[in-house]
Amino acid sequence: MSERAPPSSPVVTRLAPSPTGLLHLGHARSFLLAWWHARSSGGRVVLRIEDLDRERCKPELVDTCLRDLEWLGLDWDGPPVVQSRDTSPYERACAELLAAGLAYSCVCTRAEIAALSAPHAGDSEQRYPGTCRGKWTTLEAARSSSGRAAGIRFEVANGPQLVRDELHGERAFDVQREVGDVLVQRRDGAFAYQLAVVVDDSRQGITDVVRGSDLWSSAARQLLLQRALGFAHPRWWHVPLVVDEGGERLAKRRGDVALAELRAQRVDARAVVAWAAASSGQPAEPRCTAREVCARFDLRACPRTALVLSAATLAGLRAATQ
Ligand SMILES: [Zn+2]
């Protein structure tokens, strides 16, 4: 596995909030786990604001995100990277893929793709059927001959791709069958999440990605992009999500689990930290700081199944005021 960072290198993780809604207890747990994983071994933490999706991001929430992280007792090294402030690294990566013949222009609308492709079983994502593959060599040619705006797709080979997760082991994903050729730049010019993550993980020197298990299938798409761009891939740790008693993952619109709301109610952040630690198999006092958990932290102790946030647990947290 020559692509992987050697085990002797110090751990570098990232906190990557997206200002599309208020951060909640599920995010708090994932961010704490990422931070503990780095800080418990003397590693570094970088902060990245993932705000490239102009339709969904609310710039006024960035400050709230930062206050939430500070409230939890998390810190980071260096200034935050705000993706929208400089998109030239993503532009260069797209140009490189196009020049290498690994990507192509696509002029299809979402509605056209939806009409051509049944959603993949158990997945709401549409599979792109490859309509524009091989049609044009440049964006300009695609625009002038179609009379439409053009995006860029990364060509994905057929067949399974093995992805190793440090908590769960190996799993095969067939990216072509699941989503088809991966969008790296949208027709409105916005760079896609998958591309931006890969570029930023590389330029920020990320060795370990700790994030929610809903993103495991994304790791396969990212691995293919990393190979195409000549980047090393990080170690992936996909931590199980926090769900409610009905088994639904916590939603950003749900106020009672929002960190900003808990802060406003003067909840003691140390109770939230202790809940996140104890529910992740880490020894913790009933109230403790993030720093106090570092001494005996081991990410491998994290349970592999979803964490249910019961109404009683939530009530207990909300009552743990200062
Ligand atoms: Zn197309």
Side-chain angles (χ1 to χ4, degrees):
M1 301 302 279
S2 57
E3 288 173 88
R4 199 177 301 168
S8 56
S9 65
V11 167
V12 185
T13 64
R14 69 329 198 258
L15 309 175
S18 184
T20 56
L22 293 174
L23 298 181
H24 56 55
L25 287 165
H27 299 114
R29 180 168 178 260
S30 293
F31 288 144
L32 281 160
L33 287 168
W35 189 88
W36 283 326
H37 183 58
R39 294 299 195 218
S40 63
S41 62
R44 298 178 66 242
V45 176
V46 299
L47 177 63
R48 178 194 310 160
I49 307 295
E50 297 193 337
D51 64 343
L52 289 177
D53 190 337
R54 285 172 290 211
E55 285 167 24
R56 293 178 62 227
C57 287
K58 304 180 181 86
E60 68 275 15
L61 286 179
V62 172
D63 204 51
T64 311
C65 280
L66 299 184
R67 297 292 86 73
D68 289 343
L69 297 175
E70 286 165 357
W71 177 69
L72 290 168
L74 304 186
D75 62 357
W76 46 90
D77 301 291
V81 167
V82 181
Q83 289 183 325
S84 63
R85 276 193 201 151
D86 178 14
T87 57
S88 60
Y90 318 124
E91 215 164 292
R92 279 197 296 276
C94 281
E96 204 176 303
L97 292 172
L98 284 171
L102 299 172
Y104 60 88
S105 316
C106 169
V107 299
C108 300
T109 64
R110 273 184 215 166
E112 285 169 336
I113 297 167
L116 283 170
S117 162
H120 184 69
D123 192 341
S124 59
E125 273 177 297
Q126 302 290 343
R127 179 183 175 275
Y128 178 68
T131 318
C132 299
R133 215 199 241 215
K135 275 194 187 167
W136 302 287
T137 48
T138 64
L139 279 172
E140 291 68 33
R143 285 190 199 114
S144 60
S145 84
S146 70
R148 297 172 171 201
I152 302 173
R153 286 188 185 270
F154 168 61
E155 245 179 79
V156 172
N158 292 318
Q161 174 60 54
L162 277 183
V163 179
R164 182 176 164 71
D165 178 277
E166 302 299 322
L167 285 177
H168 303 272
E170 280 189 336
R171 186 168 151 192
F173 294 92
D174 190 331
V175 177
Q176 184 52 249
R177 201 175 58 86
E178 286 166 15
V179 292
D181 294 336
V182 173
L183 193 68
V184 288
Q185 186 175 16
R186 296 192 330 205
R187 293 176 63 241
D188 66 3
F191 294 96
Y193 163 77
Q194 304 292 358
L195 179 87
V197 163
V198 159
V199 169
D200 286 344
D201 282 348
S202 172
R203 67 189 180 127
Q204 293 188 296
I206 305 300
T207 64
D208 291 62
V209 170
V210 183
R211 62 185 180 189
S213 58
D214 55 324
L215 287 167
W216 195 359
S217 62
S218 277
R221 299 165 211 176
Q222 290 160 20
L223 182 59
L224 295 174
L225 275 167
Q226 281 152 347
R227 283 206 189 118
L229 290 164
F231 298 157
H233 73 80
R235 285 178 288 263
W236 280 294
W237 306 76
H238 290 98
V239 295
L241 297 177
V242 180
V243 298
D244 64 21
E245 283 169 312
E248 293 292 320
R249 55 190 286 198
L250 302 187
K252 278 187 170 178
R253 61 183 177 278
R254 214 183 121 176
D256 61 338
V257 294
L259 303 183
E261 155 79 11
L262 299 176
R263 272 197 288 131
Q265 300 297 319
R266 310 221 17 100
V267 166
D268 187 348
R270 295 176 307 154
V272 173
V273 169
W275 160 78
S279 67
S280 306
Q282 312 301 324
E285 301 295 322
R287 293 193 190 195
C288 59
T289 65
R291 185 65 66 178
E292 285 164 353
V293 176
C294 283
R296 287 183 290 168
F297 182 76
D298 177 7
L299 189 47
R300 291 188 192 280
C302 186
R304 274 42 165 185
T305 50
L307 169 65
V308 179
L309 177 65
S310 69
T313 301
L314 179 57
L317 285 175
R318 291 177 63 87
T321 50
Q322 283 167 315

